[in-house]
Every structure is written in structure tokens, then in C-alpha cells.
Amino acid sequence: MKSYIFSKKKINHVAIIMDGNGRWAKKNDLPKRDGHEYGIKNCINICEKLDKLKYKISEISFYVFSTENWMRKPSEVKNLFDLIQIFYDDFKLKAHENNLKVRHYGSRKKLSKNLLKIIDDVTIKTKKNNGTIVNLLFNYGSRQEIDDAISKINKIKKPSKNFKKYLYVPDSHDPDLIIRTGGELRLSNFMLWQSAYAELYFTKVLWPDFKIKNLNLALDNYTKRKRKLGK
Ligand code: IPE
Ligand code: IPE
Ligand code: MG
């Protein structure tokens, strides 16, 4: 019998603003911490199921914690960082088994030594994997990233004219599609420089309820769009 090989359509970079954990917890009569836990678990779950997508994504970014989120109640910030630390460590083996290359995308300032060690361990462990690149954006703010880039430039005698070189992860592609869950219609300081020509997709689905099938729908919608890039 003849065999057919279907090759999946490739998408370079999809980025997700994972919003709605708080409202999800409220809706389910649970403490907010549980909303964040389900949110982080959902992020890992999606990473493990990327091969179930109709599309092959080269790079996927998840917005986990913004520079402005430090203004939340100290107890919520503590809960969030405890969860990030536990699940980041736990993600090391799962990511490796799934051939994912994981990297932290954000500022290292203000992060604890323990967390920095976990970040570096996971980066090293998954460095040579050639599957999807997973960027985890926490302690990330686009304006901070631009300010930090300018500080780097100011310290160099002959800086490159290519500004991108000074962003947190210079070899990251600009996102082709930015998805925001939770119903708000804004970017909240997410990849402002990189999103110049990104397509935007907003859904009311709260992040912990956003599954692979929702991601497939968003990608179906994206692939039907006509990108002009100013031409
Ligand atoms: C997103 O969920 C996660 C973070 C911003 C850390 P929220 O906590 O913002 O949830 P909502 O928007 O209040 O529902
Ligand atoms: C954006 O969500 C940040 C993350 C999802 C990590 P927020 O809930 O912080 O954004 P605003 O405050 O509604 O703009
Ligand atoms: Mg929110």
C-alpha cells in the first residue's frame, strides 16, 4: 500500500499572554493560588502536547509574570514564584523528553539564587534539543527590556546598529501571532518592539481552560489571514 507523508504547516513564533487565572479561580470557587497553579500546569501541558497540533511551531513564548505584576500583594507574588520554582524544576525532564529547548526570557535582577540556578540547569539540560523552542517570560516587561538594551549599548564603544542584538534573547524571532486569553484587549507590556507586525488574537477563554484544541483554532484563524508587512 502506498504511504503518504503529510508535512505540517510551519509557523515560526507564537506567543501567548496567559491571562485569566484569577477569574478562573473565582469562577470555580477556589483560592487565587489554585488559579495560578492550574495556569502553570496548563502551560506545561500545552508544551507536552505540541506535537498534537496541526502545525509545527518553531518557537513558542509564554508570558508568565510581568514587571508590573510585582505590584500585586506580596502573598500573591510569593505564591507565584513558589509555583514557578517548583514547576520549572519539574519541567526539566518533561521538556527534555519532548525535545524542547527551554529558555528564560526576562530580567535576572530580583530573581532568587535558587531560581536562577534552576533556570540555568534547565537551559543547559535542554540546550541541544532541536524541537520547539519554549521561551518562559517572567520578570519580563518590554519597556524594561528596551531600557536594559539601551544600558548595554551605552557601555559599548562601537555598538551595532542592529538594536535587536541587545534584547534579552537576540536570536528569538519576532512573534508571528500573539494570543491573549482572558478577554482583555491589550498587550500589557508584552514584546512591544518585537510585535511590530505580529497578528493579534484575543479570546475570552480563561487561561486554565485554554487547551490544545483552542490553540489549534487560533492557529487556523492565523493561517487564514493575509499578512502584508507594509508591502
Ligand atoms: C494571569 O492571571 C497571570 C498573571 C498575570 C501572573 P491573572 O492573575 O492576571 O488573572 P485575572 O486577570 O485576574 O483573571
Ligand atoms: C498580563 O496580565 C501579564 C501576564 C499574563 C503575565 P495582567 O493581568 O498582569 O495584565 P493587566 O493588568 O490586565 O493589563
Ligand atoms: Mg490579569
Side-chain angles (χ1 to χ4, degrees):
M1 213 167 80
K2 220 176 181 179
S3 71
Y4 295 92
I5 298 169
F6 295 100
S7 61
K8 292 186 177 186
K9 195 176 159 109
K10 205 175 138 189
I11 301 177
N12 267 332
H13 187 180
V14 175
I16 308 185
I17 301 173
M18 308 185 286
D19 196 24
N21 294 346
R23 280 162 286 161
W24 184 91
K26 206 168 190 179
K27 194 180 92 181
N28 289 285
D29 218 5
L30 291 167
K32 201 170 190 185
R33 187 202 166 278
D34 289 14
H36 290 313
E37 181 168 344
Y38 274 88
I40 291 183
K41 280 184 178 163
N42 193 43
C43 174
I44 294 184
N45 207 21
I46 290 213
C47 289
E48 288 179 302
K49 289 189 176 150
L50 288 174
D51 59 340
K52 303 256 181 311
L53 285 173
K54 285 199 253 170
Y55 306 88
K56 187 175 169 2
I57 301 179
S58 307
E59 185 175 352
I60 190 161
S61 295
F62 295 94
Y63 200 11
V64 184
F65 186 93
S66 74
T67 42
E68 288 69 36
N69 290 151
W70 287 106
M71 292 186 290
R72 295 193 180 193
K73 269 202 264 164
S75 58
E76 183 178 354
V77 172
K78 185 181 181 307
N79 282 339
L80 268 161
F81 274 96
D82 286 351
L83 288 166
I84 290 173
Q85 191 152 318
I86 293 166
F87 284 98
Y88 209 125
D89 203 21
D90 188 42
F91 191 39
K92 183 163 71 181
L93 283 179
K94 290 179 182 166
H96 192 54
E97 278 164 21
N98 285 280
N99 194 25
L100 304 172
K101 181 173 171 167
V102 184
R103 49 197 190 187
H104 171 239
Y105 195 125
S107 169
R108 291 172 69 95
K109 277 179 221 152
K110 296 216 268 199
L111 298 185
S112 72
K113 269 196 186 136
N114 261 347
L115 184 52
L116 288 172
K117 188 181 176 308
I118 293 170
I119 289 173
D120 293 338
D121 281 353
V122 179
T123 308
I124 291 166
K125 173 97 182 159
T126 63
K127 205 182 168 111
K128 293 200 175 116
N129 292 343
N130 58 8
T132 303
I133 296 170
V134 177
N135 301 316
L136 297 172
L137 286 88
F138 55 88
N139 199 16
Y140 176 82
S142 190
R143 288 184 168 178
Q144 182 71 59
E145 182 181 31
I146 292 168
D147 286 348
D148 288 350
I150 293 167
S151 303
K152 283 181 213 161
I153 290 168
N154 285 339
K155 283 188 195 123
I156 303 170
K157 257 200 182 148
K158 271 193 171 174
S160 158
K161 286 200 169 65
N162 180 8
F163 184 74
K164 194 172 190 280
K165 262 186 93 171
Y166 304 101
L167 294 176
Y168 291 138
V169 184
D171 67 358
S172 170
H173 285 90
D174 287 351
D176 296 294
L177 174 68
I178 297 178
I179 298 169
R180 181 173 185 141
T181 62
E184 307 295 352
L185 307 179
R186 53 179 174 259
L187 291 176
S188 305
N189 206 7
F190 181 77
M191 290 194 175
L192 303 180
W193 193 88
Q194 299 89 326
S195 67
Y197 274 99
E199 295 292 325
L200 307 177
Y201 180 92
F202 297 99
T203 168
K204 286 189 177 149
V205 177
L206 303 172
W207 172 250
D209 289 332
F210 189 89
K211 304 293 169 197
I212 276 287
K213 73 169 194 310
N214 305 85
L215 182 53
N216 257 324
L217 283 177
L219 300 176
D220 286 345
N221 179 292
Y222 164 76
T223 50
K224 284 190 198 114
R225 297 186 192 184
K226 184 172 172 4
R227 297 183 81 188
K228 293 172 68 185
L229 310 171
K231 287 175 220 155

